[in-house]
Amino acid sequence: MAALRQRLVDFAAARRWEPFHTPKNLAAALSVEAGELLEIFQWLTPEQAAAVMSEPERAHRVRDEVADVLAYLLQFCTAVGVDPLEALAAKIERNELRFPVSADAVGAGEREAPEDAADVNSDVSDQPL
């Protein structure tokens, strides 16, 4: 991960793009690239979406958009000083506490609904992974 982040820093520096790689600009670019990934699936049925990677042209587009999303995410993390793997690990830990698995759902792949289930969508920053 560190090597990829450094390659992205070097790539931008070689092109003198650093002044444009502000947190706001990188967050906007990340959003655009995520939208381009979504566009591939926009009008597909669940069955068609599940089969996207078996179609060479669409699979290539998915891989390219995933790469773009990851590149901008890593560049954003570098700009704001966030370790993405540490941030993810911390978020998973919080969600494990917030959304415990109920005793009767163990092995069934279900999770217990939180007490504030009606409010889960009330705050975007409070969403589970």
Side-chain angles (χ1 to χ4, degrees):
M1 181 76 64
L4 287 174
R5 287 175 77 169
Q6 190 58 53
R7 276 184 77 183
L8 290 166
V9 166
D10 294 345
F11 183 87
R15 290 152 183 82
R16 299 183 180 154
W17 290 348
E18 304 100 322
F20 307 105
H21 284 196
T22 64
K24 179 197 76 72
N25 288 351
L26 292 167
L30 175 59
S31 176
V32 168
E33 295 302 336
E36 290 178 7
L37 178 61
L38 175 59
E39 184 180 35
I40 297 166
F41 296 90
Q42 185 173 11
W43 302 112
L44 302 182
T45 65
E47 297 77 20
Q48 291 169 326
V52 160
M53 297 308 287
S54 65
E55 301 171 29
E57 184 176 325
R58 280 190 172 158
H60 177 74
R61 286 185 59 209
V62 168
R63 284 190 293 276
D64 277 355
E65 296 308 332
V66 166
D68 289 344
V69 168
L70 183 56
Y72 278 118
L73 179 60
L74 293 176
Q75 289 173 311
F76 176 83
C77 288
T78 299
V80 298
V82 169
D83 180 315
L85 297 180
E86 285 180 16
L88 177 58
K91 181 68 174 187
I92 291 169
E93 287 176 25
R94 286 193 308 277
N95 282 340
E96 287 172 338
L97 294 173
R98 186 157 179 244
F99 302 103
V101 176
S102 66
D104 59 324
V106 174
E110 298 176 13
R111 66 175 171 86
E112 185 177 298
E115 291 179 22
D116 62 345
D119 297 328
V120 168
N121 291 323
S122 64
D123 182 1
V124 174
S125 66
D126 201 27
Q127 295 301 302
L129 293 176

PDB file of all heavy atoms in Angstrom, residues 75-110:
ATOM      1  N   GLN A  75      -4.796   8.965  -2.821  1.00  0.00           N
ATOM      2  CA  GLN A  75      -4.278  10.326  -2.914  1.00  0.00           C
ATOM      3  C   GLN A  75      -4.950  11.236  -1.888  1.00  0.00           C
ATOM      4  O   GLN A  75      -4.298  12.073  -1.263  1.00  0.00           O
ATOM      5  CB  GLN A  75      -4.463  10.872  -4.330  1.00  0.00           C
ATOM      6  CG  GLN A  75      -3.538  10.196  -5.331  1.00  0.00           C
ATOM      7  CD  GLN A  75      -3.831  10.612  -6.747  1.00  0.00           C
ATOM      8  OE1 GLN A  75      -4.977  10.604  -7.192  1.00  0.00           O
ATOM      9  NE2 GLN A  75      -2.796  10.989  -7.466  1.00  0.00           N
ATOM     10  N   PHE A  76      -6.248  11.054  -1.699  1.00  0.00           N
ATOM     11  CA  PHE A  76      -6.971  11.826  -0.682  1.00  0.00           C
ATOM     12  C   PHE A  76      -6.411  11.531   0.705  1.00  0.00           C
ATOM     13  O   PHE A  76      -6.144  12.446   1.489  1.00  0.00           O
ATOM     14  CB  PHE A  76      -8.471  11.501  -0.747  1.00  0.00           C
ATOM     15  CG  PHE A  76      -9.261  12.180   0.337  1.00  0.00           C
ATOM     16  CD1 PHE A  76      -9.677  13.486   0.199  1.00  0.00           C
ATOM     17  CD2 PHE A  76      -9.571  11.502   1.509  1.00  0.00           C
ATOM     18  CE1 PHE A  76     -10.389  14.123   1.203  1.00  0.00           C
ATOM     19  CE2 PHE A  76     -10.288  12.120   2.517  1.00  0.00           C
ATOM     20  CZ  PHE A  76     -10.688  13.436   2.367  1.00  0.00           C
ATOM     21  N   CYS A  77      -6.231  10.250   1.007  1.00  0.00           N
ATOM     22  CA  CYS A  77      -5.695   9.854   2.315  1.00  0.00           C
ATOM     23  C   CYS A  77      -4.310  10.447   2.550  1.00  0.00           C
ATOM     24  O   CYS A  77      -4.000  10.889   3.661  1.00  0.00           O
ATOM     25  CB  CYS A  77      -5.662   8.335   2.444  1.00  0.00           C
ATOM     26  SG  CYS A  77      -7.302   7.603   2.634  1.00  0.00           S
ATOM     27  N   THR A  78      -3.490  10.475   1.514  1.00  0.00           N
ATOM     28  CA  THR A  78      -2.171  11.081   1.629  1.00  0.00           C
ATOM     29  C   THR A  78      -2.300  12.575   1.926  1.00  0.00           C
ATOM     30  O   THR A  78      -1.609  13.107   2.798  1.00  0.00           O
ATOM     31  CB  THR A  78      -1.354  10.844   0.350  1.00  0.00           C
ATOM     32  OG1 THR A  78      -1.188   9.426   0.174  1.00  0.00           O
ATOM     33  CG2 THR A  78       0.010  11.515   0.406  1.00  0.00           C
ATOM     34  N   ALA A  79      -3.215  13.238   1.236  1.00  0.00           N
ATOM     35  CA  ALA A  79      -3.384  14.689   1.404  1.00  0.00           C
ATOM     36  C   ALA A  79      -3.855  15.067   2.806  1.00  0.00           C
ATOM     37  O   ALA A  79      -3.468  16.115   3.327  1.00  0.00           O
ATOM     38  CB  ALA A  79      -4.365  15.224   0.360  1.00  0.00           C
ATOM     39  N   VAL A  80      -4.689  14.216   3.413  1.00  0.00           N
ATOM     40  CA  VAL A  80      -5.240  14.557   4.735  1.00  0.00           C
ATOM     41  C   VAL A  80      -4.565  13.808   5.878  1.00  0.00           C
ATOM     42  O   VAL A  80      -4.911  13.997   7.040  1.00  0.00           O
ATOM     43  CB  VAL A  80      -6.775  14.358   4.790  1.00  0.00           C
ATOM     44  CG1 VAL A  80      -7.467  15.279   3.800  1.00  0.00           C
ATOM     45  CG2 VAL A  80      -7.173  12.909   4.567  1.00  0.00           C
ATOM     46  N   GLY A  81      -3.617  12.926   5.556  1.00  0.00           N
ATOM     47  CA  GLY A  81      -2.879  12.216   6.595  1.00  0.00           C
ATOM     48  C   GLY A  81      -3.642  11.086   7.255  1.00  0.00           C
ATOM     49  O   GLY A  81      -3.496  10.848   8.453  1.00  0.00           O
ATOM     50  N   VAL A  82      -4.443  10.375   6.482  1.00  0.00           N
ATOM     51  CA  VAL A  82      -5.202   9.233   7.000  1.00  0.00           C
ATOM     52  C   VAL A  82      -4.577   7.945   6.485  1.00  0.00           C
ATOM     53  O   VAL A  82      -4.303   7.831   5.285  1.00  0.00           O
ATOM     54  CB  VAL A  82      -6.683   9.310   6.547  1.00  0.00           C
ATOM     55  CG1 VAL A  82      -7.418   8.018   6.839  1.00  0.00           C
ATOM     56  CG2 VAL A  82      -7.381  10.485   7.197  1.00  0.00           C
ATOM     57  N   ASP A  83      -4.362   6.998   7.390  1.00  0.00           N
ATOM     58  CA  ASP A  83      -3.939   5.661   6.977  1.00  0.00           C
ATOM     59  C   ASP A  83      -5.221   4.892   6.669  1.00  0.00           C
ATOM     60  O   ASP A  83      -6.000   4.602   7.586  1.00  0.00           O
ATOM     61  CB  ASP A  83      -3.151   4.972   8.089  1.00  0.00           C
ATOM     62  CG  ASP A  83      -2.686   3.582   7.692  1.00  0.00           C
ATOM     63  OD1 ASP A  83      -3.494   2.807   7.128  1.00  0.00           O
ATOM     64  OD2 ASP A  83      -1.527   3.250   7.963  1.00  0.00           O
ATOM     65  N   PRO A  84      -5.478   4.562   5.399  1.00  0.00           N
ATOM     66  CA  PRO A  84      -6.767   3.947   5.050  1.00  0.00           C
ATOM     67  C   PRO A  84      -6.981   2.585   5.702  1.00  0.00           C
ATOM     68  O   PRO A  84      -8.110   2.246   6.067  1.00  0.00           O
ATOM     69  CB  PRO A  84      -6.725   3.843   3.526  1.00  0.00           C
ATOM     70  CG  PRO A  84      -5.277   3.926   3.169  1.00  0.00           C
ATOM     71  CD  PRO A  84      -4.620   4.742   4.228  1.00  0.00           C
ATOM     72  N   LEU A  85      -5.929   1.808   5.876  1.00  0.00           N
ATOM     73  CA  LEU A  85      -6.095   0.492   6.503  1.00  0.00           C
ATOM     74  C   LEU A  85      -6.393   0.624   7.990  1.00  0.00           C
ATOM     75  O   LEU A  85      -7.230  -0.109   8.531  1.00  0.00           O
ATOM     76  CB  LEU A  85      -4.863  -0.371   6.252  1.00  0.00           C
ATOM     77  CG  LEU A  85      -4.594  -0.691   4.776  1.00  0.00           C
ATOM     78  CD1 LEU A  85      -3.341  -1.547   4.640  1.00  0.00           C
ATOM     79  CD2 LEU A  85      -5.785  -1.357   4.125  1.00  0.00           C
ATOM     80  N   GLU A  86      -5.750   1.566   8.656  1.00  0.00           N
ATOM     81  CA  GLU A  86      -6.062   1.812  10.073  1.00  0.00           C
ATOM     82  C   GLU A  86      -7.480   2.348  10.223  1.00  0.00           C
ATOM     83  O   GLU A  86      -8.203   1.954  11.141  1.00  0.00           O
ATOM     84  CB  GLU A  86      -5.062   2.797  10.679  1.00  0.00           C
ATOM     85  CG  GLU A  86      -3.705   2.208  10.952  1.00  0.00           C
ATOM     86  CD  GLU A  86      -2.751   3.225  11.561  1.00  0.00           C
ATOM     87  OE1 GLU A  86      -3.206   4.286  12.051  1.00  0.00           O
ATOM     88  OE2 GLU A  86      -1.540   2.951  11.557  1.00  0.00           O
ATOM     89  N   ALA A  87      -7.877   3.249   9.340  1.00  0.00           N
ATOM     90  CA  ALA A  87      -9.232   3.806   9.397  1.00  0.00           C
ATOM     91  C   ALA A  87     -10.282   2.708   9.196  1.00  0.00           C
ATOM     92  O   ALA A  87     -11.286   2.667   9.908  1.00  0.00           O
ATOM     93  CB  ALA A  87      -9.396   4.907   8.344  1.00  0.00           C
ATOM     94  N   LEU A  88     -10.029   1.819   8.256  1.00  0.00           N
ATOM     95  CA  LEU A  88     -10.960   0.721   8.005  1.00  0.00           C
ATOM     96  C   LEU A  88     -11.036  -0.223   9.192  1.00  0.00           C
ATOM     97  O   LEU A  88     -12.123  -0.615   9.617  1.00  0.00           O
ATOM     98  CB  LEU A  88     -10.571  -0.040   6.740  1.00  0.00           C
ATOM     99  CG  LEU A  88     -11.428  -1.260   6.390  1.00  0.00           C
ATOM    100  CD1 LEU A  88     -12.900  -0.876   6.233  1.00  0.00           C
ATOM    101  CD2 LEU A  88     -10.896  -1.926   5.141  1.00  0.00           C
ATOM    102  N   ALA A  89      -9.895  -0.584   9.756  1.00  0.00           N
ATOM    103  CA  ALA A  89      -9.885  -1.479  10.912  1.00  0.00           C
ATOM    104  C   ALA A  89     -10.658  -0.869  12.080  1.00  0.00           C
ATOM    105  O   ALA A  89     -11.447  -1.552  12.741  1.00  0.00           O
ATOM    106  CB  ALA A  89      -8.446  -1.803  11.318  1.00  0.00           C
ATOM    107  N   ALA A  90     -10.459   0.424  12.324  1.00  0.00           N
ATOM    108  CA  ALA A  90     -11.168   1.096  13.415  1.00  0.00           C
ATOM    109  C   ALA A  90     -12.669   1.131  13.154  1.00  0.00           C
ATOM    110  O   ALA A  90     -13.483   0.927  14.072  1.00  0.00           O
ATOM    111  CB  ALA A  90     -10.628   2.515  13.602  1.00  0.00           C
ATOM    112  N   LYS A  91     -13.066   1.356  11.913  1.00  0.00           N
ATOM    113  CA  LYS A  91     -14.488   1.400  11.561  1.00  0.00           C
ATOM    114  C   LYS A  91     -15.130   0.029  11.729  1.00  0.00           C
ATOM    115  O   LYS A  91     -16.253  -0.083  12.240  1.00  0.00           O
ATOM    116  CB  LYS A  91     -14.649   1.896  10.115  1.00  0.00           C
ATOM    117  CG  LYS A  91     -16.069   2.010   9.644  1.00  0.00           C
ATOM    118  CD  LYS A  91     -16.813   3.107  10.366  1.00  0.00           C
ATOM    119  CE  LYS A  91     -18.195   3.281   9.764  1.00  0.00           C
ATOM    120  NZ  LYS A  91     -18.904   4.408  10.298  1.00  0.00           N
ATOM    121  N   ILE A  92     -14.444  -1.020  11.332  1.00  0.00           N
ATOM    122  CA  ILE A  92     -14.965  -2.377  11.501  1.00  0.00           C
ATOM    123  C   ILE A  92     -15.156  -2.676  12.990  1.00  0.00           C
ATOM    124  O   ILE A  92     -16.195  -3.220  13.390  1.00  0.00           O
ATOM    125  CB  ILE A  92     -14.048  -3.417  10.831  1.00  0.00           C
ATOM    126  CG1 ILE A  92     -14.105  -3.273   9.308  1.00  0.00           C
ATOM    127  CG2 ILE A  92     -14.450  -4.838  11.246  1.00  0.00           C
ATOM    128  CD1 ILE A  92     -13.046  -4.084   8.570  1.00  0.00           C
ATOM    129  N   GLU A  93     -14.182  -2.301  13.807  1.00  0.00           N
ATOM    130  CA  GLU A  93     -14.291  -2.530  15.249  1.00  0.00           C
ATOM    131  C   GLU A  93     -15.494  -1.807  15.830  1.00  0.00           C
ATOM    132  O   GLU A  93     -16.248  -2.382  16.634  1.00  0.00           O
ATOM    133  CB  GLU A  93     -13.013  -2.092  15.960  1.00  0.00           C
ATOM    134  CG  GLU A  93     -11.847  -3.030  15.721  1.00  0.00           C
ATOM    135  CD  GLU A  93     -10.563  -2.532  16.357  1.00  0.00           C
ATOM    136  OE1 GLU A  93     -10.632  -1.757  17.336  1.00  0.00           O
ATOM    137  OE2 GLU A  93      -9.493  -2.934  15.871  1.00  0.00           O
ATOM    138  N   ARG A  94     -15.700  -0.541  15.448  1.00  0.00           N
ATOM    139  CA  ARG A  94     -16.871   0.202  15.939  1.00  0.00           C
ATOM    140  C   ARG A  94     -18.168  -0.460  15.492  1.00  0.00           C
ATOM    141  O   ARG A  94     -19.120  -0.567  16.264  1.00  0.00           O
ATOM    142  CB  ARG A  94     -16.818   1.653  15.465  1.00  0.00           C
ATOM    143  CG  ARG A  94     -15.805   2.492  16.198  1.00  0.00           C
ATOM    144  CD  ARG A  94     -15.982   3.993  15.951  1.00  0.00           C
ATOM    145  NE  ARG A  94     -16.039   4.380  14.550  1.00  0.00           N
ATOM    146  CZ  ARG A  94     -14.984   4.590  13.770  1.00  0.00           C
ATOM    147  NH1 ARG A  94     -13.761   4.432  14.254  1.00  0.00           N
ATOM    148  NH2 ARG A  94     -15.140   4.960  12.518  1.00  0.00           N
ATOM    149  N   ASN A  95     -18.207  -0.915  14.238  1.00  0.00           N
ATOM    150  CA  ASN A  95     -19.429  -1.548  13.737  1.00  0.00           C
ATOM    151  C   ASN A  95     -19.688  -2.892  14.397  1.00  0.00           C
ATOM    152  O   ASN A  95     -20.839  -3.275  14.600  1.00  0.00           O
ATOM    153  CB  ASN A  95     -19.379  -1.694  12.218  1.00  0.00           C
ATOM    154  CG  ASN A  95     -19.691  -0.392  11.527  1.00  0.00           C
ATOM    155  OD1 ASN A  95     -20.284   0.511  12.102  1.00  0.00           O
ATOM    156  ND2 ASN A  95     -19.271  -0.279  10.288  1.00  0.00           N
ATOM    157  N   GLU A  96     -18.631  -3.620  14.740  1.00  0.00           N
ATOM    158  CA  GLU A  96     -18.817  -4.890  15.452  1.00  0.00           C
ATOM    159  C   GLU A  96     -19.459  -4.653  16.812  1.00  0.00           C
ATOM    160  O   GLU A  96     -20.279  -5.458  17.256  1.00  0.00           O
ATOM    161  CB  GLU A  96     -17.483  -5.616  15.595  1.00  0.00           C
ATOM    162  CG  GLU A  96     -16.996  -6.206  14.295  1.00  0.00           C
ATOM    163  CD  GLU A  96     -15.588  -6.770  14.375  1.00  0.00           C
ATOM    164  OE1 GLU A  96     -14.803  -6.377  15.270  1.00  0.00           O
ATOM    165  OE2 GLU A  96     -15.260  -7.612  13.511  1.00  0.00           O
ATOM    166  N   LEU A  97     -19.107  -3.570  17.449  1.00  0.00           N
ATOM    167  CA  LEU A  97     -19.724  -3.229  18.734  1.00  0.00           C
ATOM    168  C   LEU A  97     -21.136  -2.687  18.548  1.00  0.00           C
ATOM    169  O   LEU A  97     -22.039  -3.000  19.312  1.00  0.00           O
ATOM    170  CB  LEU A  97     -18.871  -2.191  19.476  1.00  0.00           C
ATOM    171  CG  LEU A  97     -17.495  -2.659  19.923  1.00  0.00           C
ATOM    172  CD1 LEU A  97     -16.697  -1.489  20.483  1.00  0.00           C
ATOM    173  CD2 LEU A  97     -17.621  -3.773  20.957  1.00  0.00           C
ATOM    174  N   ARG A  98     -21.311  -1.877  17.542  1.00  0.00           N
ATOM    175  CA  ARG A  98     -22.604  -1.239  17.296  1.00  0.00           C
ATOM    176  C   ARG A  98     -23.654  -2.210  16.772  1.00  0.00           C
ATOM    177  O   ARG A  98     -24.843  -2.073  17.056  1.00  0.00           O
ATOM    178  CB  ARG A  98     -22.408  -0.109  16.293  1.00  0.00           C
ATOM    179  CG  ARG A  98     -23.647   0.697  16.085  1.00  0.00           C
ATOM    180  CD  ARG A  98     -23.334   2.075  15.560  1.00  0.00           C
ATOM    181  NE  ARG A  98     -24.595   2.751  15.375  1.00  0.00           N
ATOM    182  CZ  ARG A  98     -25.059   3.144  14.209  1.00  0.00           C
ATOM    183  NH1 ARG A  98     -24.348   2.981  13.128  1.00  0.00           N
ATOM    184  NH2 ARG A  98     -26.224   3.730  14.123  1.00  0.00           N
ATOM    185  N   PHE A  99     -23.229  -3.172  15.972  1.00  0.00           N
ATOM    186  CA  PHE A  99     -24.152  -4.128  15.354  1.00  0.00           C
ATOM    187  C   PHE A  99     -23.746  -5.546  15.726  1.00  0.00           C
ATOM    188  O   PHE A  99     -23.254  -6.304  14.883  1.00  0.00           O
ATOM    189  CB  PHE A  99     -24.143  -3.965  13.828  1.00  0.00           C
ATOM    190  CG  PHE A  99     -24.505  -2.585  13.375  1.00  0.00           C
ATOM    191  CD1 PHE A  99     -23.513  -1.709  12.938  1.00  0.00           C
ATOM    192  CD2 PHE A  99     -25.817  -2.153  13.401  1.00  0.00           C
ATOM    193  CE1 PHE A  99     -23.832  -0.426  12.530  1.00  0.00           C
ATOM    194  CE2 PHE A  99     -26.152  -0.861  12.987  1.00  0.00           C
ATOM    195  CZ  PHE A  99     -25.152  -0.003  12.552  1.00  0.00           C
ATOM    196  N   PRO A 100     -23.966  -5.942  16.979  1.00  0.00           N
ATOM    197  CA  PRO A 100     -23.558  -7.285  17.398  1.00  0.00           C
ATOM    198  C   PRO A 100     -24.409  -8.368  16.733  1.00  0.00           C
ATOM    199  O   PRO A 100     -25.547  -8.131  16.348  1.00  0.00           O
ATOM    200  CB  PRO A 100     -23.783  -7.265  18.914  1.00  0.00           C
ATOM    201  CG  PRO A 100     -24.829  -6.216  19.114  1.00  0.00           C
ATOM    202  CD  PRO A 100     -24.616  -5.189  18.043  1.00  0.00           C
ATOM    203  N   VAL A 101     -23.818  -9.537  16.607  1.00  0.00           N
ATOM    204  CA  VAL A 101     -24.530 -10.684  16.064  1.00  0.00           C
ATOM    205  C   VAL A 101     -25.371 -11.265  17.190  1.00  0.00           C
ATOM    206  O   VAL A 101     -24.877 -11.493  18.290  1.00  0.00           O
ATOM    207  CB  VAL A 101     -23.534 -11.745  15.536  1.00  0.00           C
ATOM    208  CG1 VAL A 101     -24.268 -12.990  15.059  1.00  0.00           C
ATOM    209  CG2 VAL A 101     -22.696 -11.161  14.416  1.00  0.00           C
ATOM    210  N   SER A 102     -26.649 -11.491  16.926  1.00  0.00           N
ATOM    211  CA  SER A 102     -27.512 -12.059  17.956  1.00  0.00           C
ATOM    212  C   SER A 102     -27.173 -13.534  18.151  1.00  0.00           C
ATOM    213  O   SER A 102     -26.707 -14.208  17.239  1.00  0.00           O
ATOM    214  CB  SER A 102     -28.986 -11.905  17.579  1.00  0.00           C
ATOM    215  OG  SER A 102     -29.278 -12.669  16.438  1.00  0.00           O
ATOM    216  N   ALA A 103     -27.416 -14.021  19.347  1.00  0.00           N
ATOM    217  CA  ALA A 103     -27.080 -15.410  19.694  1.00  0.00           C
ATOM    218  C   ALA A 103     -27.792 -16.406  18.793  1.00  0.00           C
ATOM    219  O   ALA A 103     -27.207 -17.412  18.390  1.00  0.00           O
ATOM    220  CB  ALA A 103     -27.417 -15.679  21.158  1.00  0.00           C
ATOM    221  N   ASP A 104     -29.054 -16.149  18.453  1.00  0.00           N
ATOM    222  CA  ASP A 104     -29.794 -17.096  17.615  1.00  0.00           C
ATOM    223  C   ASP A 104     -29.465 -16.960  16.132  1.00  0.00           C
ATOM    224  O   ASP A 104     -29.844 -17.800  15.333  1.00  0.00           O
ATOM    225  CB  ASP A 104     -31.303 -16.946  17.834  1.00  0.00           C
ATOM    226  CG  ASP A 104     -31.825 -15.563  17.527  1.00  0.00           C
ATOM    227  OD1 ASP A 104     -31.111 -14.589  17.803  1.00  0.00           O
ATOM    228  OD2 ASP A 104     -32.963 -15.458  17.028  1.00  0.00           O
ATOM    229  N   ALA A 105     -28.724 -15.921  15.761  1.00  0.00           N
ATOM    230  CA  ALA A 105     -28.371 -15.734  14.348  1.00  0.00           C
ATOM    231  C   ALA A 105     -26.964 -16.234  14.041  1.00  0.00           C
ATOM    232  O   ALA A 105     -26.559 -16.226  12.893  1.00  0.00           O
ATOM    233  CB  ALA A 105     -28.467 -14.260  13.974  1.00  0.00           C
ATOM    234  N   VAL A 106     -26.251 -16.675  15.041  1.00  0.00           N
ATOM    235  CA  VAL A 106     -24.889 -17.159  14.814  1.00  0.00           C
ATOM    236  C   VAL A 106     -24.934 -18.314  13.827  1.00  0.00           C
ATOM    237  O   VAL A 106     -25.695 -19.256  13.979  1.00  0.00           O
ATOM    238  CB  VAL A 106     -24.219 -17.590  16.140  1.00  0.00           C
ATOM    239  CG1 VAL A 106     -22.874 -18.230  15.865  1.00  0.00           C
ATOM    240  CG2 VAL A 106     -24.074 -16.394  17.062  1.00  0.00           C
ATOM    241  N   GLY A 107     -24.159 -18.198  12.792  1.00  0.00           N
ATOM    242  CA  GLY A 107     -24.136 -19.229  11.757  1.00  0.00           C
ATOM    243  C   GLY A 107     -25.172 -19.008  10.671  1.00  0.00           C
ATOM    244  O   GLY A 107     -25.094 -19.584   9.615  1.00  0.00           O
ATOM    245  N   ALA A 108     -26.142 -18.144  10.942  1.00  0.00           N
ATOM    246  CA  ALA A 108     -27.176 -17.884   9.939  1.00  0.00           C
ATOM    247  C   ALA A 108     -26.823 -16.682   9.072  1.00  0.00           C
ATOM    248  O   ALA A 108     -27.531 -16.384   8.128  1.00  0.00           O
ATOM    249  CB  ALA A 108     -28.529 -17.654  10.616  1.00  0.00           C
ATOM    250  N   GLY A 109     -25.751 -15.981   9.429  1.00  0.00           N
ATOM    251  CA  GLY A 109     -25.324 -14.842   8.634  1.00  0.00           C
ATOM    252  C   GLY A 109     -26.171 -13.605   8.838  1.00  0.00           C
ATOM    253  O   GLY A 109     -26.174 -12.698   8.034  1.00  0.00           O
ATOM    254  N   GLU A 110     -26.908 -13.526   9.926  1.00  0.00           N
ATOM    255  CA  GLU A 110     -27.734 -12.366  10.196  1.00  0.00           C
ATOM    256  C   GLU A 110     -27.122 -11.561  11.324  1.00  0.00           C
ATOM    257  O   GLU A 110     -26.332 -12.054  12.100  1.00  0.00           O
ATOM    258  CB  GLU A 110     -29.146 -12.809  10.617  1.00  0.00           C
ATOM    259  CG  GLU A 110     -29.868 -13.594   9.542  1.00  0.00           C
ATOM    260  CD  GLU A 110     -31.214 -14.100  10.025  1.00  0.00           C
ATOM    261  OE1 GLU A 110     -31.686 -13.652  11.074  1.00  0.00           O
ATOM    262  OE2 GLU A 110     -31.779 -14.947   9.341  1.00  0.00           O
TER     263      GLU A 110
END
